[in-house]
Amino acid sequence: MMTRFSIALLLALAPMPAVANSCPSQMAQIDAALQTASLSEADMNKVKELRKRGEELHDAGDHAGSEAALGEAKQLLGI
């Protein structure tokens, strides 16, 4: 019984490192896209703020919040 619980717990937690590791790759995508983006000044500032917020949330361990902020930035960039 305990073995089944341990296996279930392990499987439930296994995706967590993958989520945490996707934040830096999303930040890199945003950084690359910013180099050639043709956005209005307001949108550019919004993307930069979301990118910064995403990194702060990632560093604080809030990967869901980070993913949300970075996802919004990527949407504005069209990536």
Side-chain angles (χ1 to χ4, degrees):
M1 181 80 161
M2 189 58 128
T3 303
R4 286 185 184 170
F5 177 75
S6 298
I7 291 171
L9 182 62
L10 178 65
L11 292 175
L13 296 177
M16 292 181 98
V19 170
N21 290 334
S22 73
C23 299
S25 66
Q26 288 190 47
M27 287 184 264
Q29 288 177 334
I30 292 167
D31 293 343
L34 278 171
Q35 300 302 315
T36 58
S38 56
L39 300 172
S40 68
E41 186 176 345
D43 283 345
M44 185 67 80
N45 289 336
K46 179 78 173 168
V47 167
K48 289 178 181 179
E49 181 57 36
L50 288 164
R51 172 24 182 117
K52 179 182 173 191
R53 183 75 179 133
E55 185 170 9
E56 290 169 349
L57 290 167
H58 170 77
D59 290 344
D62 181 359
H63 300 290
S66 176
E67 295 261 337
L70 296 172
E72 191 177 339
K74 287 172 59 177
Q75 186 175 15
L76 286 169
L77 285 166
I79 57 173

